[in-house]
Amino acid sequence: MGKIVAVTGNEAVANALRQADPDVCSLYPITPQTDIVQRFSSFVANGLVKTELINAESEHSAMSAAIGAAAAGGRVITATSSQGMALMWEMLHIASGMNLPIIMPLVNRALSAPLNIHGDHSDGMGARDTGWVQLWSESAQEAYDNTIMAFRVGEHMDIRLPVMVCMDGFIVSHSIARMEYLEDGEVKKFIGPYVPKNPLLDIEHPKSFGPLILTDLYHEYKRLQHEIMGRVKNVVLQVSDEFARLSGRKYGLFESYRLEDAEIALVILNSAAGTSKDVVDELRGKGIKAGLLKPRLFRPFPYEEVGQALKHLKAVCVMDRADSFGGYGPMFMEISSAMYQADGGQRPRLINKIYGLGGRDFMPHDARGVLLELVEIAKGAPVRTVKEYIGVRE
Amino acid sequence: MKKWTELEPGAVVLEAGSSARFKTGSWRTFKPRWVPENCIQCLMCWLYCPDMAVKVVDGKMTGFDYDYCKGCGVCARECPGKQGKKAIVMEPEGK
C-alpha cells in the first residue's frame, strides 16, 4: 500500500506526474507552479521518467507544443498558474476543441493588475468556458489524487478531453502536509498505458487536425462538444469509484459535509473548505445545524446533483475566491442556476460573499461570521446585500 | 450535410487528400497568365505555389488550374523568366 509522507502540494503533484510517466511535458515556469516543473525536470534529468521535456519560450508556446504532441499521439502534460494560463488562452480552446486529453495542474493564483503571486481562483474561474474539465482540490492529498484520476478521466475514450487540476497557490502548493503516496506500480496499473486516438504519427492513416469549419458545420461541432462534456460526470464517478477501491479515499462530484440534516450551509472550494469544516463542527457543538458543500467537478458543473443536495436548506452562502466584476461571484452564478432548476422549486435563500482575493487569509472567524449571518437569514431576517466582500478593511 | 451525431470528435479529418474537393479559385481578384515563350521550365512556380494550381504534366509546366489558384502572385514574383521577361504575369480578374 501507500507511503505516508510530509510534502508540499507541488511536490505531491510532481510525484503524481512522475508516476504517470507522460510521453511529453512542455513547460514554462511561473510562480507558484514553478516548483512542479522544476521537480519534474529533475525527474527527467535523473532518468526516473522517459518523458521528452520541451522548455518553451512562453505559456502560449507551452500549450501549443502540448497540443502538437497530443495530436501526434502522446500522453502530454504541462502546468501553469495565473498570467501563464491567461497567456495560453486561445490554445486552451484549441486543446478542448480538438479533444486532446492534455493534463494540466493549475496552481491557482490571482490575476494582475495589481500584480500578486498569491492564491485565489480568478485564473481557474476565468477558464470556465474553455471546454476543459476542471477538478478542484482542497489539500495536497486531493491534488495528488485528482492528478492521478485526471489521466483516466481525460483519456477515457468516451470523452478525450483536457483536464485541469486546481489547487490553491502557496496555501496548498507550498505548505507541507501529511499525505499518502500510492506505490509507483499501483499508479502505473491504475492509469494504464496510453492509447492514442487518431494519432498524426500513424502515417499509414493520414489525417488532418484543425480544419476551417464555417457556417455549414461549426454549430454542429459545438453541439457535439456539448454532448461529450455531458458524458464527463459519469466518467468521473466511475474513475473515482475505482480509485476508492485502490486508495480507500472516496471522491464524488462534490463533497457534502454534515449537509443531510443541515439548515444552513456554505458552498466553498479548495483549501478554505478545510477551515470552514472546523467552524461547522464548532457550531454543531452549539446546536446550530450547519453544513458545507465543497464542489470538486466544476466543469462540467453537476447542477442537478448540487440542486438536490442543497434544496432542503433554509439559507446558503456561496463563497467565491474570485469576482466577476459587474456580476455575482462565479460560483454563486452556478449555485443560483442549480437552485432555480431544482426539483419542486424548493430552494434556500442565497447570499454571496467574496473572500480571500490575492491570498488574503480566510480565518475561522470569517467562516463563523458568515454562518451566524445565515442563522439570522434562516429565521427570516432580510438579506442586506446579495453580494458582499468580507475580510476587507472598511 | 452531416448531422452533429455523424461528426468525428475534435473535427479531425480522417480522409487523406480531401482538400482536393475544396476549390478556392473564387477568392481570386488577380489571375496569373502563363507566357510560354518566356518559360525556361525551371518549375519554381510549382515549387512556390501554396496550393496545387500549377499544372505539371510529364515534368513540364503546362498552365494553371484556376479552380485552386487564389491569385496570390507568388509564382509571378518568383518566376525568373527569360532574358528579363517574366513567364508569368498577373492581370486583374475579368480582364
Side-chain angles (χ1 to χ4, degrees):
Chain A
M1 265 312 278
K3 181 178 158 196
I4 304 293
V5 291
V7 294
T8 64
N10 276 348
E11 186 173 351
V13 167
N15 270 295
L17 297 174
R18 176 185 59 75
Q19 291 175 315
D21 198 3
D23 297 306
V24 175
C25 169
S26 62
L27 60 91
Y28 192 85
I30 183 169
T31 303
Q33 155 269 32
T34 306
D35 197 19
I36 294 178
V37 293
Q38 183 185 341
R39 286 174 189 278
F40 193 82
S41 301
S42 68
F43 296 149
V44 175
N46 294 333
L48 299 180
V49 288
K50 60 171 171 48
T51 311
E52 169 128 14
L53 201 71
I54 304 172
N55 284 296
E57 75 274 26
S58 73
E59 285 88 354
H60 187 281
S61 303
M63 184 49 66
S64 300
I67 288 167
R75 175 177 280 160
V76 182
I77 61 160
T78 183
T80 196
S81 292
S82 178
Q83 305 305 118
M85 195 175 64
L87 185 55
M88 287 179 178
W89 205 254
E90 61 170 335
M91 306 318 293
L92 293 177
H93 289 261
I94 292 171
S96 61
M98 289 184 177
N99 284 91
L100 300 172
I102 297 161
I103 305 306
M104 179 169 76
L106 174 70
V107 187
N108 296 116
R109 164 186 151 181
L111 284 168
S112 288
L115 180 62
N116 179 301
I117 57 168
H118 288 281
D120 78 23
H121 303 157
S122 45
D123 50 4
M125 287 295 156
R128 182 189 72 175
D129 300 337
T130 56
W132 282 56
V133 175
Q134 286 190 346
L135 294 169
W136 292 70
S137 327
E138 177 182 326
S139 59
Q141 183 75 68
E142 289 192 13
Y144 170 82
D145 292 348
N146 278 338
T147 303
I148 290 169
M149 282 183 267
F151 287 94
R152 286 286 306 279
V153 171
E155 292 171 10
H156 196 286
M157 280 298 169
D158 286 354
I159 58 177
R160 305 297 286 187
L161 282 173
V163 183
M164 71 182 75
V165 177
C166 304
M167 70 167 162
D168 286 346
F170 289 103
I171 302 165
V172 173
S173 69
H174 285 64
S175 302
I176 294 177
R178 176 197 182 278
M179 60 159 285
E180 184 183 329
Y181 280 144
L182 296 168
E183 299 281 349
D184 289 359
E186 289 176 322
V187 176
K188 190 176 178 183
K189 195 174 157 211
F190 179 78
I191 295 178
Y194 186 69
V195 183
K197 189 183 173 198
N198 297 333
L200 281 170
L201 286 179
D202 173 15
I203 54 173
E204 299 299 314
H205 301 93
K207 56 190 75 70
S208 298
F209 274 79
L212 176 75
I213 305 286
L214 298 177
T215 47
D216 50 355
L217 276 169
Y218 185 88
H219 202 56
E220 279 69 26
Y221 276 109
K222 293 295 136 180
R223 174 65 183 85
L224 176 58
Q225 206 173 333
H226 163 71
E227 185 74 12
I228 293 169
M229 214 41 166
R231 299 175 194 156
V232 173
K233 228 166 45 179
N234 283 340
V235 171
V236 167
L237 288 173
Q238 183 189 319
V239 170
S240 301
D241 279 353
E242 224 178 291
F243 187 79
R245 285 198 291 278
L246 172 68
S247 67
R249 292 184 289 277
K250 293 193 175 97
Y251 292 93
L253 303 172
F254 51 83
E255 180 189 341
S256 291
Y257 188 75
R258 305 190 80 164
L259 205 53
E260 291 69 21
D261 66 335
E263 292 178 350
I264 59 169
L266 299 181
V267 175
I268 189 161
L269 273 174
N270 279 18
S271 64
T275 308
S276 303
K277 284 182 224 170
D278 281 349
V279 179
V280 165
D281 290 345
E282 173 199 316
L283 295 188
R284 283 277 180 169
K286 293 175 182 169
I288 296 170
K289 289 189 169 177
L292 180 145
L293 185 146
K294 182 187 73 183
R296 174 180 178 233
L297 181 67
F298 184 74
R299 274 292 175 274
F301 196 81
Y303 294 99
E304 286 169 27
E305 293 82 351
V306 167
Q308 285 299 318
L310 295 176
K311 69 175 191 176
H312 65 285
L313 293 157
K314 290 182 176 163
V316 170
C317 180
V318 183
M319 308 288 291
D320 270 294
R321 203 167 204 154
D323 197 356
S324 170
F325 300 100
Y328 292 122
M331 183 62 79
F332 183 84
M333 296 187 214
E334 303 301 346
I335 302 299
S336 290
S337 302
M339 298 325 298
Y340 195 84
Q341 303 294 342
D343 277 352
Q346 180 195 357
R347 51 180 176 263
R349 296 172 77 189
L350 287 183
I351 56 171
N352 183 203
K353 304 290 187 196
I354 310 292
Y355 75 98
L357 300 186
R360 171 64 50 85
D361 280 334
F362 178 78
M363 305 299 281
H365 64 78
D366 294 311
R368 194 180 301 119
V370 174
L371 283 162
L372 293 177
E373 187 182 337
L374 288 177
V375 169
E376 297 307 313
I377 293 172
K379 284 182 195 158
V383 171
R384 291 192 314 264
T385 324
V386 177
K387 172 188 169 185
E388 189 177 47
Y389 274 59
I390 60 164
V392 66
R393 278 188 301 282
E394 300 280 358
Chain B
M1 294 297 282
K2 284 186 176 174
K3 299 173 184 169
W4 71 265
T5 47
E6 298 165 340
L7 299 176
E8 178 64 25
V12 185
V13 181
L14 298 175
E15 182 190 348
S18 59
S19 61
R21 295 202 301 272
F22 188 48
K23 294 182 177 174
T24 49
S26 63
W27 301 4
R28 202 169 53 234
T29 53
F30 284 84
K31 71 191 293 185
R33 181 168 61 81
W34 183 43
V35 188
E37 56 270 32
N38 295 337
C39 180
I40 59 170
Q41 289 296 342
C42 64
L43 294 185
M44 289 296 267
C45 53
W46 173 79
L47 192 63
Y48 273 90
C49 178
D51 210 299
M52 43 187 183
V54 176
K55 286 198 281 195
V56 174
V57 179
D58 296 334
K60 298 221 166 184
M61 159 64 166
T62 60
F64 292 101
D65 186 337
Y66 291 106
D67 277 349
Y68 300 107
C69 174
K70 302 180 187 69
C72 70
V74 171
C75 56
R77 185 187 169 95
E78 296 300 330
C79 175
K82 197 192 283 179
Q83 295 170 346
K85 287 180 184 167
K86 289 270 187 187
I88 300 172
V89 290
M90 298 301 290
E91 292 175 342
E93 187 64 43
K95 188 185 166 186

Short mmCIF file of all heavy atoms in Angstrom, two decimals, chain A residues 108-151:
data_model
loop_
_atom_site.label_atom_id
_atom_site.label_comp_id
_atom_site.label_asym_id
_atom_site.label_seq_id
_atom_site.Cartn_x
_atom_site.Cartn_y
_atom_site.Cartn_z
N ASN A 108 -3.62 27.66 -8.44
CA ASN A 108 -4.45 28.88 -8.52
C ASN A 108 -3.75 30.10 -7.92
O ASN A 108 -3.28 30.06 -6.79
CB ASN A 108 -5.79 28.67 -7.80
CG ASN A 108 -6.62 27.61 -8.46
OD1 ASN A 108 -6.89 26.57 -7.87
ND2 ASN A 108 -7.01 27.85 -9.70
N ARG A 109 -3.73 31.16 -8.71
CA ARG A 109 -3.09 32.41 -8.30
C ARG A 109 -3.89 33.57 -8.87
O ARG A 109 -4.46 33.48 -9.96
CB ARG A 109 -1.65 32.41 -8.84
CG ARG A 109 -0.99 33.78 -8.82
CD ARG A 109 0.38 33.76 -9.49
NE ARG A 109 0.65 35.07 -10.05
CZ ARG A 109 1.75 35.40 -10.72
NH1 ARG A 109 2.70 34.50 -10.93
NH2 ARG A 109 1.92 36.61 -11.19
N ALA A 110 -3.87 34.69 -8.14
CA ALA A 110 -4.60 35.89 -8.57
C ALA A 110 -4.05 36.41 -9.89
O ALA A 110 -2.89 36.22 -10.23
CB ALA A 110 -4.46 36.96 -7.50
N LEU A 111 -4.94 37.08 -10.61
CA LEU A 111 -4.54 37.72 -11.88
C LEU A 111 -4.18 39.19 -11.65
O LEU A 111 -4.79 39.86 -10.82
CB LEU A 111 -5.71 37.66 -12.88
CG LEU A 111 -5.97 36.30 -13.55
CD1 LEU A 111 -7.31 36.34 -14.26
CD2 LEU A 111 -4.88 35.95 -14.53
N SER A 112 -3.22 39.69 -12.43
CA SER A 112 -2.87 41.11 -12.43
C SER A 112 -3.98 41.89 -13.14
O SER A 112 -4.68 41.32 -13.97
CB SER A 112 -1.58 41.33 -13.20
OG SER A 112 -0.49 40.84 -12.45
N ALA A 113 -4.05 43.24 -12.95
CA ALA A 113 -3.33 44.08 -12.03
C ALA A 113 -4.20 44.35 -10.81
O ALA A 113 -5.41 44.23 -10.93
CB ALA A 113 -2.99 45.42 -12.72
N PRO A 114 -3.63 44.76 -9.65
CA PRO A 114 -2.21 44.86 -9.39
C PRO A 114 -1.54 43.49 -9.30
O PRO A 114 -2.20 42.50 -9.01
CB PRO A 114 -2.15 45.60 -8.05
CG PRO A 114 -3.49 45.38 -7.42
CD PRO A 114 -4.46 45.18 -8.51
N LEU A 115 -0.26 43.46 -9.57
CA LEU A 115 0.49 42.20 -9.58
C LEU A 115 0.44 41.53 -8.22
O LEU A 115 0.64 42.17 -7.20
CB LEU A 115 1.94 42.51 -9.97
CG LEU A 115 2.89 41.31 -10.04
CD1 LEU A 115 2.45 40.31 -11.08
CD2 LEU A 115 4.30 41.80 -10.36
N ASN A 116 0.15 40.23 -8.22
CA ASN A 116 0.04 39.47 -6.98
C ASN A 116 0.37 38.03 -7.32
O ASN A 116 -0.03 37.53 -8.37
CB ASN A 116 -1.40 39.59 -6.45
CG ASN A 116 -1.64 38.82 -5.17
OD1 ASN A 116 -1.46 37.61 -5.10
ND2 ASN A 116 -2.04 39.52 -4.13
N ILE A 117 1.13 37.37 -6.43
CA ILE A 117 1.50 35.98 -6.74
C ILE A 117 0.71 34.97 -5.91
O ILE A 117 0.90 33.77 -6.05
CB ILE A 117 3.01 35.74 -6.50
CG1 ILE A 117 3.40 36.08 -5.06
CG2 ILE A 117 3.84 36.50 -7.52
CD1 ILE A 117 4.78 35.60 -4.66
N HIS A 118 -0.18 35.44 -5.04
CA HIS A 118 -0.78 34.51 -4.07
C HIS A 118 -2.08 33.88 -4.56
O HIS A 118 -2.57 34.20 -5.64
CB HIS A 118 -0.96 35.23 -2.73
CG HIS A 118 0.36 35.45 -2.06
ND1 HIS A 118 1.01 34.46 -1.38
CD2 HIS A 118 1.18 36.53 -2.04
CE1 HIS A 118 2.18 34.91 -0.95
NE2 HIS A 118 2.31 36.17 -1.34
N GLY A 119 -2.61 33.02 -3.74
CA GLY A 119 -3.70 32.15 -4.18
C GLY A 119 -5.06 32.81 -4.20
O GLY A 119 -5.53 33.30 -3.19
N ASP A 120 -5.70 32.84 -5.33
CA ASP A 120 -7.16 32.96 -5.42
C ASP A 120 -7.60 32.26 -6.70
O ASP A 120 -6.77 31.67 -7.41
CB ASP A 120 -7.66 34.41 -5.26
CG ASP A 120 -7.52 35.30 -6.47
OD1 ASP A 120 -7.45 34.79 -7.61
OD2 ASP A 120 -7.53 36.54 -6.29
N HIS A 121 -8.90 32.29 -6.98
CA HIS A 121 -9.42 31.42 -8.04
C HIS A 121 -9.73 32.15 -9.34
O HIS A 121 -10.45 31.64 -10.20
CB HIS A 121 -10.67 30.68 -7.54
CG HIS A 121 -10.41 29.87 -6.31
ND1 HIS A 121 -11.39 29.51 -5.43
CD2 HIS A 121 -9.25 29.36 -5.82
CE1 HIS A 121 -10.86 28.81 -4.43
NE2 HIS A 121 -9.56 28.72 -4.64
N SER A 122 -9.20 33.38 -9.49
CA SER A 122 -9.58 34.15 -10.68
C SER A 122 -9.05 33.51 -11.96
O SER A 122 -9.68 33.62 -13.01
CB SER A 122 -9.11 35.60 -10.56
OG SER A 122 -7.80 35.68 -10.09
N ASP A 123 -7.91 32.79 -11.88
CA ASP A 123 -7.41 32.14 -13.10
C ASP A 123 -8.32 30.98 -13.52
O ASP A 123 -8.81 30.94 -14.65
CB ASP A 123 -5.94 31.68 -12.94
CG ASP A 123 -5.65 30.87 -11.69
OD1 ASP A 123 -6.60 30.56 -10.93
OD2 ASP A 123 -4.48 30.52 -11.47
N GLY A 124 -8.60 30.08 -12.60
CA GLY A 124 -9.41 28.90 -12.93
C GLY A 124 -10.84 29.25 -13.31
O GLY A 124 -11.41 28.68 -14.24
N MET A 125 -11.42 30.21 -12.56
CA MET A 125 -12.81 30.60 -12.86
C MET A 125 -12.90 31.25 -14.23
O MET A 125 -13.88 31.09 -14.94
CB MET A 125 -13.33 31.55 -11.78
CG MET A 125 -13.61 30.86 -10.48
SD MET A 125 -14.96 29.68 -10.68
CE MET A 125 -14.63 28.55 -9.34
N GLY A 126 -11.85 32.00 -14.58
CA GLY A 126 -11.84 32.62 -15.90
C GLY A 126 -11.79 31.61 -17.02
O GLY A 126 -12.22 31.87 -18.14
N ALA A 127 -11.24 30.41 -16.72
CA ALA A 127 -11.11 29.37 -17.74
C ALA A 127 -12.35 28.48 -17.81
O ALA A 127 -12.36 27.47 -18.52
CB ALA A 127 -9.88 28.51 -17.46
N ARG A 128 -13.39 28.91 -17.10
CA ARG A 128 -14.65 28.16 -17.04
C ARG A 128 -15.18 27.74 -18.40
O ARG A 128 -15.68 26.63 -18.58
CB ARG A 128 -15.64 29.09 -16.35
CG ARG A 128 -16.99 28.59 -16.09
CD ARG A 128 -17.86 29.73 -15.62
NE ARG A 128 -18.16 30.66 -16.72
CZ ARG A 128 -18.97 31.69 -16.62
NH1 ARG A 128 -19.55 31.97 -15.47
NH2 ARG A 128 -19.23 32.46 -17.66
N ASP A 129 -15.09 28.62 -19.38
CA ASP A 129 -15.74 28.38 -20.67
C ASP A 129 -14.79 27.88 -21.75
O ASP A 129 -15.11 27.93 -22.94
CB ASP A 129 -16.42 29.66 -21.17
CG ASP A 129 -17.49 30.15 -20.20
OD1 ASP A 129 -17.99 29.31 -19.41
OD2 ASP A 129 -17.80 31.35 -20.21
N THR A 130 -13.61 27.38 -21.34
CA THR A 130 -12.63 26.95 -22.34
C THR A 130 -12.87 25.53 -22.84
O THR A 130 -12.15 25.05 -23.71
CB THR A 130 -11.20 27.02 -21.78
OG1 THR A 130 -11.14 26.22 -20.59
CG2 THR A 130 -10.79 28.44 -21.47
N GLY A 131 -13.83 24.82 -22.25
CA GLY A 131 -14.08 23.45 -22.69
C GLY A 131 -13.21 22.42 -21.99
O GLY A 131 -13.22 21.24 -22.35
N TRP A 132 -12.43 22.85 -20.98
CA TRP A 132 -11.63 21.91 -20.20
C TRP A 132 -12.45 21.35 -19.05
O TRP A 132 -13.33 22.03 -18.51
CB TRP A 132 -10.39 22.62 -19.60
CG TRP A 132 -9.29 22.84 -20.59
CD1 TRP A 132 -9.37 23.50 -21.78
CD2 TRP A 132 -7.94 22.39 -20.47
NE1 TRP A 132 -8.15 23.49 -22.40
CE2 TRP A 132 -7.25 22.83 -21.62
CE3 TRP A 132 -7.22 21.68 -19.49
CZ2 TRP A 132 -5.89 22.56 -21.82
CZ3 TRP A 132 -5.88 21.43 -19.69
CH2 TRP A 132 -5.22 21.85 -20.85
N VAL A 133 -12.14 20.12 -18.66
CA VAL A 133 -12.68 19.55 -17.44
C VAL A 133 -11.90 20.17 -16.28
O VAL A 133 -10.68 20.32 -16.37
CB VAL A 133 -12.52 18.02 -17.43
CG1 VAL A 133 -12.96 17.43 -16.09
CG2 VAL A 133 -13.29 17.39 -18.58
N GLN A 134 -12.59 20.58 -15.22
CA GLN A 134 -11.91 21.14 -14.06
C GLN A 134 -12.20 20.34 -12.80
O GLN A 134 -13.36 20.17 -12.43
CB GLN A 134 -12.37 22.58 -13.81
CG GLN A 134 -11.82 23.60 -14.79
CD GLN A 134 -12.12 25.03 -14.34
OE1 GLN A 134 -12.94 25.26 -13.44
NE2 GLN A 134 -11.45 25.98 -14.95
N LEU A 135 -11.12 19.87 -12.16
CA LEU A 135 -11.22 19.22 -10.85
C LEU A 135 -10.52 20.11 -9.83
O LEU A 135 -9.39 20.55 -10.07
CB LEU A 135 -10.54 17.84 -10.86
CG LEU A 135 -11.17 16.77 -11.75
CD1 LEU A 135 -10.23 15.57 -11.86
CD2 LEU A 135 -12.52 16.32 -11.20
N TRP A 136 -11.19 20.41 -8.73
CA TRP A 136 -10.62 21.31 -7.71
C TRP A 136 -10.24 20.51 -6.47
O TRP A 136 -10.91 19.51 -6.14
CB TRP A 136 -11.64 22.41 -7.37
CG TRP A 136 -11.87 23.35 -8.51
CD1 TRP A 136 -12.52 23.08 -9.69
CD2 TRP A 136 -11.41 24.70 -8.63
NE1 TRP A 136 -12.49 24.18 -10.52
CE2 TRP A 136 -11.83 25.20 -9.89
CE3 TRP A 136 -10.70 25.57 -7.79
CZ2 TRP A 136 -11.56 26.50 -10.31
CZ3 TRP A 136 -10.45 26.86 -8.21
CH2 TRP A 136 -10.86 27.33 -9.46
N SER A 137 -9.19 20.96 -5.77
CA SER A 137 -8.60 20.15 -4.70
C SER A 137 -8.38 20.98 -3.43
O SER A 137 -7.81 22.06 -3.50
CB SER A 137 -7.24 19.62 -5.15
OG SER A 137 -7.22 19.35 -6.54
N GLU A 138 -8.82 20.40 -2.30
CA GLU A 138 -8.70 21.11 -1.02
C GLU A 138 -7.27 21.08 -0.47
O GLU A 138 -6.82 22.02 0.17
CB GLU A 138 -9.66 20.47 -0.01
CG GLU A 138 -9.60 21.06 1.37
CD GLU A 138 -10.54 20.36 2.35
OE1 GLU A 138 -11.63 19.91 1.94
OE2 GLU A 138 -10.18 20.26 3.54
N SER A 139 -6.58 19.95 -0.69
CA SER A 139 -5.32 19.70 0.01
C SER A 139 -4.30 19.07 -0.94
O SER A 139 -4.64 18.73 -2.08
CB SER A 139 -5.60 18.71 1.14
OG SER A 139 -6.11 17.51 0.57
N ALA A 140 -3.09 18.87 -0.42
CA ALA A 140 -2.06 18.19 -1.21
C ALA A 140 -2.54 16.78 -1.60
O ALA A 140 -2.34 16.34 -2.73
CB ALA A 140 -0.75 18.10 -0.42
N GLN A 141 -3.19 16.11 -0.65
CA GLN A 141 -3.69 14.75 -0.93
C GLN A 141 -4.69 14.77 -2.08
O GLN A 141 -4.62 13.96 -3.01
CB GLN A 141 -4.36 14.17 0.32
CG GLN A 141 -4.84 12.74 0.13
CD GLN A 141 -3.69 11.76 0.16
OE1 GLN A 141 -3.06 11.56 1.18
NE2 GLN A 141 -3.40 11.15 -0.98
N GLU A 142 -5.63 15.72 -2.01
CA GLU A 142 -6.64 15.77 -3.08
C GLU A 142 -6.02 16.16 -4.41
O GLU A 142 -6.43 15.66 -5.46
CB GLU A 142 -7.75 16.76 -2.70
CG GLU A 142 -8.64 16.25 -1.58
CD GLU A 142 -9.91 17.08 -1.41
OE1 GLU A 142 -10.24 17.90 -2.30
OE2 GLU A 142 -10.57 16.88 -0.39
N ALA A 143 -5.05 17.07 -4.37
CA ALA A 143 -4.40 17.49 -5.62
C ALA A 143 -3.66 16.30 -6.24
O ALA A 143 -3.71 16.09 -7.46
CB ALA A 143 -3.44 18.64 -5.36
N TYR A 144 -3.00 15.51 -5.40
CA TYR A 144 -2.29 14.31 -5.86
C TYR A 144 -3.28 13.30 -6.44
O TYR A 144 -3.11 12.80 -7.56
CB TYR A 144 -1.52 13.73 -4.68
CG TYR A 144 -0.91 12.36 -4.91
CD1 TYR A 144 0.31 12.23 -5.56
CD2 TYR A 144 -1.55 11.21 -4.45
CE1 TYR A 144 0.89 10.97 -5.76
CE2 TYR A 144 -0.98 9.95 -4.65
CZ TYR A 144 0.22 9.84 -5.30
OH TYR A 144 0.78 8.60 -5.51
N ASP A 145 -4.34 13.04 -5.68
CA ASP A 145 -5.33 12.05 -6.12
C ASP A 145 -6.02 12.51 -7.41
O ASP A 145 -6.21 11.72 -8.34
CB ASP A 145 -6.39 11.82 -5.03
CG ASP A 145 -5.80 11.12 -3.79
OD1 ASP A 145 -4.66 10.61 -3.87
OD2 ASP A 145 -6.49 11.10 -2.75
N ASN A 146 -6.39 13.79 -7.44
CA ASN A 146 -7.07 14.32 -8.64
C ASN A 146 -6.16 14.27 -9.86
O ASN A 146 -6.62 14.02 -10.97
CB ASN A 146 -7.53 15.76 -8.41
CG ASN A 146 -8.86 15.84 -7.66
OD1 ASN A 146 -9.63 14.88 -7.64
ND2 ASN A 146 -9.12 16.97 -7.04
N THR A 147 -4.86 14.52 -9.66
CA THR A 147 -3.93 14.47 -10.79
C THR A 147 -3.88 13.06 -11.37
O THR A 147 -3.92 12.88 -12.60
CB THR A 147 -2.53 14.95 -10.36
OG1 THR A 147 -2.64 16.26 -9.83
CG2 THR A 147 -1.56 14.96 -11.54
N ILE A 148 -3.82 12.06 -10.51
CA ILE A 148 -3.79 10.67 -10.99
C ILE A 148 -5.10 10.33 -11.71
O ILE A 148 -5.09 9.79 -12.81
CB ILE A 148 -3.53 9.71 -9.80
CG1 ILE A 148 -2.08 9.90 -9.32
CG2 ILE A 148 -3.81 8.26 -10.19
CD1 ILE A 148 -1.76 9.22 -8.02
N MET A 149 -6.22 10.71 -11.09
CA MET A 149 -7.52 10.41 -11.71
C MET A 149 -7.72 11.19 -13.01
O MET A 149 -8.41 10.71 -13.92
CB MET A 149 -8.66 10.70 -10.73
CG MET A 149 -8.82 9.62 -9.69
SD MET A 149 -10.24 9.94 -8.59
CE MET A 149 -9.43 10.81 -7.27
N ALA A 150 -7.11 12.38 -13.11
CA ALA A 150 -7.29 13.21 -14.31
C ALA A 150 -6.87 12.48 -15.58
O ALA A 150 -7.49 12.64 -16.63
CB ALA A 150 -6.50 14.51 -14.16
N PHE A 151 -5.82 11.65 -15.47
CA PHE A 151 -5.37 10.91 -16.67
C PHE A 151 -6.45 9.94 -17.13
O PHE A 151 -6.74 9.83 -18.32
CB PHE A 151 -4.07 10.15 -16.37
CG PHE A 151 -2.87 11.06 -16.26
CD1 PHE A 151 -2.46 11.54 -15.02
CD2 PHE A 151 -2.17 11.44 -17.39
CE1 PHE A 151 -1.36 12.39 -14.92
CE2 PHE A 151 -1.07 12.29 -17.30
CZ PHE A 151 -0.67 12.77 -16.06
#
